[in-house]
Amino acid sequence: MLASARPLVLLPSSERPAHDRHRPPGPPPIPAGPPTDAPAQRTAPDGRVELLPGASPDDSRFANDDLRPIPLAERHWTTYNFAALWVGMAHNIPSWTLASGLVALGMDWKQAVFTIALANVVVLLPMLLTGHAGPKYGIPFPVLARASFGLRGANLPALIRAAVACGWFGIQTWIGGQGIFVLLNEVFGGAWADASPIGGHPWTLWLCFVAFWSLQLAIIHRGMETLRRFENWAAPFVLVGAVVLLVWISDKAGGLGPLLDQPSRLGWGADFWPVFFPAFMGMIGFWSTLSLNIPDFTRFGKGQRAQVWGQSLGLPTTMTAFALLSVLVTSGSQAVYGEPIWEPVDLAAKADNVFGLLFALVTVLVATVSVNIAANVVSPAYDLANLAPRLIDFRTGALITGVVGVLIFPWKLIETPELYIFVWLGVVGGLLGTVAGVLIADYWIVRRTALDLADLYRQDGRYWYAGGWNWRAVVAFAVGGVLAVGGSHSDPGKGPFPDDGMIPFLRPLADYGWAVGLGSACVVYLALMWSRREGVT
């Protein structure tokens, strides 16, 4: 789309037009800043803001070409681009199995789909709130965090988000590699799985893992414009693949199986709500990471309308439809095979012809690449660049993400459900909600969406606070984090936490970690910021 638009900031110089090849994208910085009485930014009629030439010094140690604001001329993602981004990210193997987990907890399909739909409507709100700064100022998440945490303090939320993304990247890459391995094993008649083991797994599985890892880094190395184009065609392709799977299983079943008629084991009374609320928080936590770093994408938007409509049309509708689709397909698998097969890879492996297997293989490959690159590589690439802008650019950050994603041994992490669910998802979700509370309170309530772009890159500006740190944001983060995850608990022998919680009196809050973290951090931050006597805009 928009083939005539200028290349985005992340394209290598060799891909930019000849007349534009010898200068960095965006407003050309100069060694010295503008006169103090000169304007540093200009506001377009639609409210979007960009830096004026020379407003940010090129020797700033808090900026590089990837972190500087995207010029207005290069913000051209449309409603379709954002909707396609979410369709591509939502159509993945973990999303497919969300409904299965809820049904396993005792819900019927209607309750499961309702829980997923409601959770994605709720998580859409912080997505839109934090995403607003993207098209307005053209800045990524770690630069937005500087307004609240300070130029140096922004590394705290950025590195937390980066660590989560690196972990998810490794997990998703391992899952995608496993998917490729299972399907190729069917193609080669079982010989694929009989290969000699290395580290407890066949070497062919490691080969699939490495190949999948390399493919993803090759795509992201091309930059955000390549990602936009990939998501544009990946989204409809994966959707068609899922529908084909439904048609195939329905044809074999002669109709959908009895799962849709299976009653809820919980009902809608007292047994339902103790299961609903923790599950509801878990569904919110599934995309809570993106509620922080969504400016990494919306900064390329051609306006607020594009990001608002694109996300609203793409996220809750797609996740709900995909959950319903997974239930229908699983229902058919129960009718055909006598048991529900919730894993799409396992179900696709039962295809009785090579073409079907290869089609399923490509669909799984595209679906997993789509979500993993967008959700788990873009953010840490920017976050790590924010840590040392002079040494790390976007591509270097992406490579570091890929390496760290392997070094965490994701195949070990997902071997232990207690570690994966109670430590990884629970604790991380609570902490990310806390960061979101600080960002939203600062941007929408304290500053009323008004930022000084130049000062976001300038030492001793209004966002320098004390040595580059805003202690108020750190305190709000700490308080919200303790309240969100301090009561984390496990059943005896089922997890790493004490049965009565790490902090027993906080145990009742543990099932609502994301919401508790967001709300408490927001309140504490506002109270501390409003106690200041000097201006904060």
Side-chain angles (χ1 to χ4, degrees):
M1 298 183 68
L2 297 175
S4 62
R6 291 176 60 195
L8 285 178
V9 62
L10 298 174
L11 288 177
S13 60
S14 61
E15 297 182 27
R16 296 200 294 269
H19 71 275
D20 199 36
R21 193 170 294 163
H22 301 293
R23 70 170 181 87
I30 59 177
T36 55
D37 58 345
Q41 60 191 44
R42 95 176 166 86
T43 303
D46 61 1
R48 293 185 296 161
V49 180
E50 69 176 346
L51 278 177
L52 292 175
S56 177
D58 64 357
D59 61 349
S60 172
R61 55 197 177 94
F62 297 101
N64 62 24
D65 290 340
D66 298 316
L67 295 177
R68 288 191 179 95
I70 300 295
L72 288 178
E74 295 176 2
R75 302 179 203 172
H76 57 247
W77 284 33
T78 65
T79 296
Y80 176 77
N81 295 142
F82 289 114
L85 176 73
W86 274 113
V87 172
M89 289 197 296
H91 290 167
N92 61 83
I93 295 174
S95 292
W96 182 277
T97 57
L98 283 180
S100 66
L102 297 182
V103 172
L105 292 173
M107 295 185 182
D108 62 17
W109 73 270
K110 296 184 291 295
Q111 292 171 328
V113 172
F114 166 74
T115 303
I116 292 171
L118 182 60
N120 282 278
V121 169
V122 170
V123 82
L124 175 65
L125 298 178
M127 291 276 188
L128 298 179
L129 291 176
T130 55
H132 183 276
K136 182 170 183 178
Y137 294 103
I139 55 177
F141 155 66
V143 175
L144 173 62
R146 294 174 180 179
S148 52
F149 283 85
L151 268 71
R152 287 174 173 164
N155 286 318
L156 173 62
L159 289 180
I160 291 174
R161 175 64 184 96
V164 174
C166 289
W168 271 118
F169 174 81
I171 291 171
Q172 288 273 18
T173 301
W174 182 252
I175 291 174
Q178 283 181 315
I180 298 172
F181 173 79
V182 169
L183 293 175
L184 286 181
N185 187 56
E186 295 294 326
V187 172
F188 291 108
W192 197 252
D194 295 333
S196 56
I198 298 177
H201 299 284
W203 68 263
T204 47
L205 175 56
W206 293 111
L207 177 63
C208 292
F209 174 67
V210 172
F212 191 54
W213 179 87
S214 302
L215 173 65
Q216 295 173 99
L217 292 187
I219 293 175
I220 200 62
H221 183 75
R222 300 283 298 176
M224 289 294 288
E225 182 69 359
T226 300
L227 175 62
R228 178 180 73 89
R229 292 169 181 163
F230 177 79
E231 295 291 351
N232 282 350
W233 71 263
F237 180 84
V238 174
L239 183 59
V240 169
V243 173
V244 168
L245 191 61
L246 175 62
V247 173
W248 169 69
I249 196 66
S250 298
D251 179 67
K252 293 183 71 68
L256 296 177
L259 190 64
L260 298 183
D261 298 326
Q262 189 174 38
S264 169
R265 300 197 307 271
L266 303 173
W268 289 94
D271 292 334
F272 174 73
W273 301 109
V275 174
F276 168 78
F277 284 110
F280 180 59
M281 288 295 109
M283 297 303 103
I284 291 176
F286 191 79
W287 289 121
S288 64
T289 52
L290 268 294
S291 67
L292 292 184
N293 74 283
I294 195 64
D296 294 343
F297 302 97
T298 61
R299 67 190 300 226
F300 299 101
K302 64 186 303 182
Q304 295 298 340
R305 182 183 180 88
Q307 75 102 2
V308 170
W309 278 105
Q311 293 202 80
S312 299
L313 294 173
L315 172 58
T317 55
T318 300
M319 286 295 291
T320 302
F322 208 52
L324 180 59
L325 190 62
S326 73
V327 169
L328 294 175
V329 171
T330 305
S331 171
S333 72
Q334 178 166 305
V336 174
Y337 301 107
E339 61 178 356
I341 303 175
W342 286 100
E343 287 286 353
V345 171
D346 294 339
L347 183 60
K350 293 183 177 294
D352 49 11
N353 63 80
V354 174
F355 174 79
L357 284 170
L358 291 177
F359 179 79
L361 171 63
V362 174
T363 302
V364 168
L365 183 70
V366 172
T368 308
V369 169
S370 180
V371 65
N372 212 19
I373 292 178
N376 301 319
V377 177
V378 173
S379 172
Y382 282 125
D383 296 337
L384 293 168
N386 187 71
L387 180 65
R390 292 184 177 180
L391 301 176
I392 303 175
D393 60 9
F394 181 85
R395 290 182 175 87
T396 304
L399 180 60
I400 294 173
T401 299
V403 173
V404 173
V406 174
L407 294 179
I408 66 167
F409 299 159
W411 50 91
K412 293 292 184 181
L413 183 61
I414 60 176
E415 275 183 354
T416 309
E418 291 79 14
L419 180 63
Y420 175 63
I421 295 173
F422 296 108
V423 176
W424 183 252
L425 294 181
V427 173
V428 161
L431 293 178
L432 294 180
T434 302
V435 175
V438 173
L439 294 184
I440 292 171
D442 182 81
Y443 181 71
W444 282 97
I445 302 177
V446 175
R447 306 186 192 282
R448 309 293 177 89
T449 75
L451 297 176
D452 185 316
L453 271 179
D455 275 4
L456 288 172
Y457 302 89
R458 182 182 297 149
Q459 186 172 333
D460 299 327
R462 69 186 63 199
Y463 309 118
W464 186 244
Y465 298 103
W469 289 79
N470 181 8
W471 64 265
R472 298 164 185 82
V474 176
V475 169
F477 169 78
V479 172
V482 169
L483 293 176
V485 305
S488 298
H489 58 91
S490 306
D491 292 334
K494 297 293 185 179
F497 301 120
D499 179 41
D500 57 351
M502 293 189 295
I503 304 176
F505 74 91
L506 294 179
R507 190 181 190 278
L509 302 180
D511 291 338
Y512 313 95
W514 181 84
V516 169
L518 188 147
S520 59
C522 180
V523 170
V524 172
Y525 182 77
L526 290 177
L528 293 175
M529 289 299 287
W530 282 342
S531 69
R532 299 180 66 187
R533 299 305 178 194
E534 65 269 26
V536 294
T537 59

